[in-house]
């Protein structure tokens, strides 16, 4: 719907959208976009609310680690929102593994917030599943299929053949403003003794 | 009408939109018969070039039939004329147009205030290429309003299929200008990075202009095969060192002329650590472009050689070795293409059978399939090199 606002920048006779058609973004691309923004949101939360997070999980003293994970999440998000989204999503999967490993260290019996850790672990496992589905989806959608590419061996572009084409446009006069420096265009054509002669 | 519309990053849709209308006396309306997805459309698809807005119609490579003409364009155009529309909108009257520098026309960018701030001075208006170049709706649509239509057109005769002349609007003159501004000599080796559509046209142009040898660099087998078919020696950068191989092919001297037909989105690979660095910076918004090709060209180019850059760059690049450029005395030539400067000559060459640009087309689909084809083209799936859309 943003195009309604941007119509301000158009003139009277410019075409304006009446009805939007299907997008070049596939379902996997949209999922990557959603997960990318989720990463950025989570990253910001980990950066600004590290104390709250560690307190809720009984992991006091690990604030620096949570902030570092926040920076990592921002990285995942930026890459997931870029054209290299498959890298972003696979990096999220790796990050999920790190999150799970970190949360497992907090699943101690003496942790009074063990239940919260369990909920967090379940959430991360769920997101991991989405990340794997998303990463597989965008990889499949945007990969070049294996196998032999089409052959363009006969696509010369020269109806009379390549040999006939070589130098066929030597009649063309290069305009003066596009002449190369005389070191190549003129001097190199002259005889060595002429080149050496002082001007 | 239907049109391919930008809704956001990687989000192109085939929408129903209002028909374009004549706004100015020099305007014309063209019924689009063929249009193409250009490699530089992918920079917009990825939102790497700023100032796209949701609702912008894509496309800057198109042709069709004139169906309506504004009063001041009537001397040059009439209903029924068959035209290719160049991607640069030109007035034909300003100082730059008179010099043939059409891509920096001083008149046609209707958002000059914006471009002046970003570029220092505004350049020409472009179709379907951000609000920095005027925010003009593009031609991946059933109809297109052509501003300054009396100058902004290339008339093409009936009887030649669309596919042979469509690319006069962009990639053919772009590849041609890339080669021309190298001032190719019969003793020259021309190295071309990127075997996408512009790279393929640059290869053919360098061959036609008589280079001693043309070397094409890429890593996709189908693109390398097409380059080889056009007369190039190929280097697969996944399999061999580009610098070593180029030096080997030039007796250790390096190529005299280097063409960057890749631009701001160089391939990223851990085997080329600077590309990983660029990608990371690009993601963080600390660099807009990935200039690996520029670095490699500057390094390998023969001293006093020419670096020609038709590939699109969007903004800021990092770690460009200006010391090498300065000490080697390299000439750097770049710019959007001055399309109309070359098209009369190129149309003649097509008509005479010197070249048939349709060789590059690998996919022809309806406009409705356009959004999916953006993905296929970007991901290099199905051996896709060039997509033509039929509205």
């Amino acid at each position: 719907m943003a195009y309604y606002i941007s119509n301000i920048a158009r003139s009277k006779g410019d075409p304006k959208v009446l009805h939007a058609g299907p997008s070049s973004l596939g379902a996997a691309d949209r999922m990557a976009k959603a997960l990318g923004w989720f990463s950025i949101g989570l990253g910001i939360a980990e950066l600004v609310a590290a104390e709250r997070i560690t307190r809720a999980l009984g992991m006091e003293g690990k604030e620096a680690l949570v902030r570092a994970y926040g920076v990592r999440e921002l990285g995942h998000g930026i890459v997931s929102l870029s054209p290299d989204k498959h890298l972003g999503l696979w990096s999220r999967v790796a990050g999920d593994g790190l999150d799970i490993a970190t949360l497992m260290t907090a699943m101690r019996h003496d942790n009074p917030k063990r239940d919260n850790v369990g909920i967090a672990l379940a959430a991360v496992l769920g997101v991991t599943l989405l990340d794997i589905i998303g990463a597989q989806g965008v990889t499949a959608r945007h990969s070049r299929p294996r196998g032999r590419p089409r052959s363009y061996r006969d696509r010369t572009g020269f109806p009379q053949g390549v040999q006939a084409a070589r130098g066929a446009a030597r009649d063309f006069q290069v305009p003066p403003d596009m002449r190369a420096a005389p070191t190549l265009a003129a001097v190199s054509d002259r005889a060595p003794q002429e080149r050496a002669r002082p001007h | 009408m239907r049109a391919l519309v930008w809704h956001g990053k990687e989000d192109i849709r085939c929408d129903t939109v209002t028909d374009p209308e004549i706004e100015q006396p020099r305007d014309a309306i063209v019924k689009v018969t063929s249009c193409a997805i250009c490699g530089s459309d992918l920079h917009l698809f990825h939102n790497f070039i700023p100032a796209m807005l949701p609702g912008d119609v894509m496309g800057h490579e198109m042709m069709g039939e004139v169906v309506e003409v504004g009063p001041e364009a009537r001397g040059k155009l009439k209903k029924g004329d068959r035209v290719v529309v160049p991607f640069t909108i030109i007035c034909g009257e300003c100082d730059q147009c008179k010099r043939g520098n059409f891509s920096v026309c001083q008149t046609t960018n209707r958002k000059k205030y914006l471009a002046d701030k970003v570029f220092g001075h505004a350049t020409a208006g472009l179709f379907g290429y951000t609000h920095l170049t005027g925010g003009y709706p593009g031609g991946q649509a059933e109809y297109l309003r052509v501003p300054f239509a009396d100058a902004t057109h290339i008339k093409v005769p009936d009887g030649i299929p669309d596919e042979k002349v469509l690319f006069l609007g962009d990639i053919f003159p772009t590849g041609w200008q890339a080669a021309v501004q190298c001032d190719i000599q019969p003793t020259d080796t021309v190295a071309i990075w990127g075997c996408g559509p512009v790279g393929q046209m640059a290869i053919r142009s360098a061959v036609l202009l008589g280079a001693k040898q043309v070397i094409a660099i890429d890593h996709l087998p189908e693109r390398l095969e097409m380059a080889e078919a056009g007369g190039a020696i190929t280097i697969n950068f996944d399999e061999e060192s580009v610098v070593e191989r180029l030096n080997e092919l030039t007796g250790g001297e390096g190529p005299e002329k280097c063409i960057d037909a890749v631009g701001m989105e160089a391939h990223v690979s851990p085997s080329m650590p600077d590309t990983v660095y660029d990608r990371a910076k690009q993601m963080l918004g600390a660099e807009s472009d990935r200039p690996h090709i520029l670095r490699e060209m500057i390094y390998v180019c023969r001293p006093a050689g020419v670096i020609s850059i038709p590939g699109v760059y969007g903004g800021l690049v990092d770690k460009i070795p200006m010391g090498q450029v300065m000490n080697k005395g390299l000439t750097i030539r770049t710019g959007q293409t001055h399309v109309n400067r070359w098209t009369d000559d190129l149309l003649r060459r097509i008509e005479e059978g010197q070249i048939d640009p349709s060789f590059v087309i690998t996919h022809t689909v309806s406009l409705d399939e356009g959004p999916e084809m953006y993905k296929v083209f970007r991901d290099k799936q199905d051996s896709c090199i060039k997509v033509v859309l039929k509205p």
Side-chain angles (χ1 to χ4, degrees), chain A residues 6 9-11 13-14 16 18-19 21 23-24 81 84-85 141-142 144 152 155 157 169 177 179, chain B residues 9-12 15-16 18 23 54 56 110-111 208 222 225 279 333 341 356 359 361 379-380 383:
Chain A
S6 65
R10 299 181 212 293
S11 65
D14 286 350
K16 294 165 191 77
L18 296 171
H19 172 72
S23 169
S24 53
L81 292 171
D84 299 322
K85 53 184 90 61
R141 180 166 162 77
H142 297 291
R144 265 168 71 87
Y152 298 136
R155 303 275 190 122
D177 61 318
R179 289 263 176 216
Chain B
K9 194 194 305 189
E10 298 179 75
D11 188 356
I12 304 280
D15 291 349
T16 305
T18 55
E23 278 184 4
D56 286 347
R110 63 181 176 176
K111 298 196 175 161
L208 285 170
E222 66 275 18
E225 193 174 63
R279 187 72 192 96
R333 289 219 168 94
R341 194 169 180 178
D356 175 1
F359 76 91
I361 301 169
D379 295 331
K380 279 98 177 171
S383 303

Side-chain angles (χ1 to χ4, degrees), chain B residues 170-338:
Chain B
D170 183 356
I171 58 167
F172 187 20
T174 296
W176 180 259
Q177 182 175 305
V180 166
Q181 64 192 6
C182 284
D183 191 10
I184 293 170
Q185 304 297 307
T187 50
D188 281 348
T189 294
V190 181
I192 298 165
W193 277 255
C195 297
V198 167
Q200 299 289 347
M201 294 297 167
I203 290 165
R204 271 68 181 179
S205 300
V207 167
L208 285 170
L209 288 164
K212 185 177 85 177
Q213 59 180 353
V214 178
I215 304 170
I217 303 150
D218 205 297
H219 74 138
L220 298 172
E222 66 275 18
R223 293 185 179 207
L224 287 168
E225 193 174 63
M226 190 183 271
E228 206 173 342
I233 299 164
T234 58
I235 299 177
N236 183 334
F237 65 76
D238 276 346
E239 293 172 359
E240 51 191 338
S241 158
V242 173
V243 172
E244 281 174 20
R245 184 82 178 112
L246 282 174
N247 282 330
E248 192 183 301
L249 287 164
T250 55
E253 301 279 352
E256 287 90 348
K257 310 291 162 67
C258 297
I259 296 176
D260 172 0
V262 175
M264 64 191 293
E265 294 191 66
H267 179 71
V268 180
S269 164
S271 64
M272 302 178 287
D274 65 315
T275 62
V276 178
Y277 164 85
D278 285 330
R279 187 72 192 96
K281 284 195 78 171
Q282 196 179 38
M283 278 182 196
L284 294 169
E287 183 182 30
S288 56
D289 304 22
R290 305 197 296 263
H292 169 75
I293 305 304
L294 289 181
R295 294 186 195 116
E296 197 161 73
M297 288 201 309
I298 290 167
Y299 185 76
V300 77
C301 187
R302 182 174 167 180
V306 178
I307 304 279
S308 170
I309 311 170
V312 171
Y313 284 86
L316 302 174
V317 294
D318 193 4
K319 307 282 185 291
I320 293 300
M322 278 310 291
Q324 292 169 14
V325 175
M326 189 270 166
N327 284 289
K328 291 168 79 174
L330 303 179
T331 299
I332 297 181
R333 289 219 168 94
T334 184
Q336 297 282 6
T337 309
H338 307 308

Side-chain angles (χ1 to χ4, degrees), chain A residues 6-89:
Chain A
S6 65
N7 281 343
I8 297 164
R10 299 181 212 293
S11 65
K12 188 175 149 285
D14 286 350
K16 294 165 191 77
V17 177
L18 296 171
H19 172 72
S23 169
S24 53
L25 288 169
D29 299 318
R30 289 177 196 282
M31 193 170 177
K33 210 169 166 182
L35 289 166
W37 283 115
F38 173 73
S39 257
I40 285 177
L42 182 60
I44 291 169
E46 287 179 327
L47 279 172
V48 301
E51 287 85 0
R52 276 189 173 195
I53 292 170
T54 53
R55 215 180 308 135
L57 296 171
M59 295 175 72
E60 288 86 349
K62 301 276 188 194
E63 288 77 15
L65 183 71
V66 171
R67 287 198 185 93
Y69 282 12
V71 173
R72 192 201 74 209
E73 283 292 347
L74 289 178
H76 295 323
I78 289 167
V79 183
S80 300
L81 292 171
S82 82
D84 299 322
K85 53 184 90 61
H86 63 290
L87 291 178
L89 292 188

Side-chain angles (χ1 to χ4, degrees), chain B residues 114-130:
Chain B
L114 202 62
D116 278 344
K117 287 270 184 276
V118 175
F119 294 142
H121 298 283
T123 56
L126 306 179
F127 288 102
Y129 219 78
T130 87

Side-chain angles (χ1 to χ4, degrees), chain B residues 136-159:
Chain B
Y136 289 103
Q140 287 167 7
E142 290 178 300
Y143 293 92
L144 171 74
R145 178 169 61 87
V146 181
F148 300 89
D150 53 324
T152 308
H153 69 267
I154 304 147
K155 273 192 198 170
V156 288
D158 293 334

